[in-house]
């Protein structure tokens, strides 16, 4: 039986990040079902002529159109084209933008892609990303004192991806791998324990991950690195340290990076934000 | 005159990433206008009781509700609550999810936060992020041969944030800073030129960025690092190398990371994706 094909066109005056997330979240609902989804991105569309090319392409494959355009003229052209040609479309930006305007009586700037330049947000984010790379893996403990968050954890507790994910939220994150034999930098005792997060994991899961890692290196899976009693020792060492510090402890087993990050943000009171325009 | 206050509630059964992007893109349209936006995230909502708490909170401040829930029961409760209480709500997920179902006759899995586990996507992304950190800043030229993309550029051409942004799209990216005095690793001549991107910038912009960087270090802004004729020399060296390689060249001046990434993806033919469910 043939796959069922779905075409989606992302049409955006910016990088199409919002619409792509939305498309991927929808596609994910059909995981492992008999569907093939083709996601096409037509981004940085500012001109009517470029918009028309994208819409005509979308029409050819009867695509689902997900659109994040801010120009009133382009929104109107796109919506009308889809209506006239019986194309399903989802205007992801207009409803909320228009609602804010109605409530406040203030007109939106209608500057495309303004998301990237939201206040000082953008450059702060770039700095946070560079900070995360610079202070990854305990490379320079002097970063601990400058960091908004210091992540501690034994090998394979997602310290690096978690640091980068939080950096995307403009937070300066440093991380330190914990190895029982290795020296713990004195700086961790100068950091506010409220800014420290101790990551842990289930021994069996760590064992499986590390065996897999050894295999991917073409090595035998049974090394000291993946030995279960060695892993338990490491976790005990980490746990004792976390208790001594008095920091938040999170078990990352069965948790995605997004979920762990969400727990950290909410525990540190960083989940809610106010944007002063 | 008092600020105009807007409250937005993100209600999600996952990390609320899609809805947050949407909220931020909308808020960005009111940048520097007389509005204060308060963004509240109520994430990983699986239970009716938690949903009701979030909705009652939203009602108290007459919030704009942006919702990404996949449980039909929770969607119904949320939408009906908002209608009954005259709360503006935007159901960001249902329209596209339902349209796919109607077209294909296939029922969605309705597994919350399935986005994170989209096929092998999630673990690939984690690997790509770790790859980017490992092979940042020319740390290990052996990574060049494994990379999907190799970024070259003089200091302050956004190599690191660009690498991380592309890693978020599951691409393995290595980068190499170009310094005229330094040795160019021989590996770059083994990489397919189609995978190499040469980043450049305008001398005046680099000069301003670097002076600012020196100031932030508490140093005099007038160093060899920020000297304009030295910068021009560096850019000439880089440009000559790019031409010798025959790679794509992008001037990042006036471009956001998102925009530069979009040019790279489209030039390398990586913009469009197919997801096999």
């Amino acid at each position: 039986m043939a796959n069922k094909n779905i075409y989606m066109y992302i049409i955006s005056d910016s990088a199409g990040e919002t619409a792509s997330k939305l498309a991927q979240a929808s596609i994910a609902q059909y995981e492992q079902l008999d569907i093939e989804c083709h996601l096409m991105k037509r981004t940085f569309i500012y001109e009517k002529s470029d918009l028309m090319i994208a819409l005509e392409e979308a029409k050819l494959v009867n695509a689902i159109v997900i659109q994040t355009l801010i120009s009133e003229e382009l929104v109107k052209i796109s919506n009308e084209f889809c209506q006239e040609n019986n194309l399903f479309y989802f205007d992801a930006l207009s409803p909320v933008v228009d609602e804010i305007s109605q409530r406040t009586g203030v007109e939106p700037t209608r500057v495309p892609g303004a998301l990237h330049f939201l206040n000082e947000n953008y450059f702060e984010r770039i700095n946070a990303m560079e900070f995360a790379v610079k202070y990854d893996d305990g490379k320079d403990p002097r970063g601990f004192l400058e960091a908004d968050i210091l992540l501690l954890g034994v090998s394979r507790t997602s310290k690096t991806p978690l640091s980068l994910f939080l950096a995307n939220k403009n937070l300066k994150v440093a991380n330190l791998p914990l190895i029982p034999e290795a020296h713990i930098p004195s700086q961790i005792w100068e950091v506010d324990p409220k800014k420290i997060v101790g990551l842990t994991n289930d021994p069996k899961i760590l064992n499986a991950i590390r065996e897999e890692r050894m295999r991917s290196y073409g090595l035998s899976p049974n090394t000291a690195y993946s030995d279960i009693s060695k892993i338990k020792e490491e976790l005990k060492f980490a746990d004792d340290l976390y208790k001594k510090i008095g920091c938040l402890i999170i078990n990352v087993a069965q948790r995605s990076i997004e979920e762990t990050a969400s727990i950290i943000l909410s525990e540190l009171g960083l989940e809610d934000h106010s944007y002063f325009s």
Side-chain angles (χ1 to χ4, degrees), chain A residues 9 11 42 48 50-60 65 67 74 77-79 81-82 87:
Chain A
Y9 265 72
I11 300 183
R42 298 298 174 259
K48 193 187 155 180
D50 291 332
L51 175 59
M52 289 313 298
I53 293 170
L55 288 169
E56 291 289 353
E57 279 180 27
K59 183 184 165 185
L60 283 178
V65 174
Q67 175 235 91
L74 296 187
I77 292 170
S78 177
N79 292 356
F81 180 96
C82 291
L87 278 180

Side-chain angles (χ1 to χ4, degrees), chain A residues 215-276:
Chain A
R215 270 189 212 101
S216 77
Y217 291 165
L219 301 171
S220 156
N222 304 310
T223 61
Y225 177 71
S226 56
D227 180 71
I228 190 97
S229 63
K230 201 87 174 43
I231 288 174
K232 282 183 182 164
E233 235 174 74
E234 273 182 54
L235 290 173
K236 168 92 171 59
F237 169 82
D239 205 50
D240 289 347
L241 179 68
Y242 301 159
K243 281 177 185 149
K244 201 167 157 197
I245 295 171
C247 64
L248 173 67
I249 302 174
I250 303 177
N251 188 331
V252 301
Q254 319 286 5
R255 287 203 165 99
S256 67
I257 301 298
E258 286 80 354
E259 199 172 347
T260 307
S262 180
I263 295 171
I264 294 174
L265 292 173
S266 127
E267 286 285 333
L268 302 185
L270 299 168
E271 264 288 46
D272 299 333
H273 274 285
S274 288
Y275 295 90
F276 305 88

Side-chain angles (χ1 to χ4, degrees), chain A residues 131-133 135-141 143-144 147 149-153 158-164 173-178 199:
Chain A
F131 187 94
V133 172
Y135 296 111
D136 182 55
D137 207 33
K139 265 179 293 201
D140 183 352
F144 296 178
I149 298 173
L150 170 60
L151 301 177
L152 308 179
S158 3
K159 292 183 296 299
T160 299
L162 196 51
S163 299
L164 296 176
V173 186
N175 75 66
L176 176 72
L178 296 181
L199 302 173

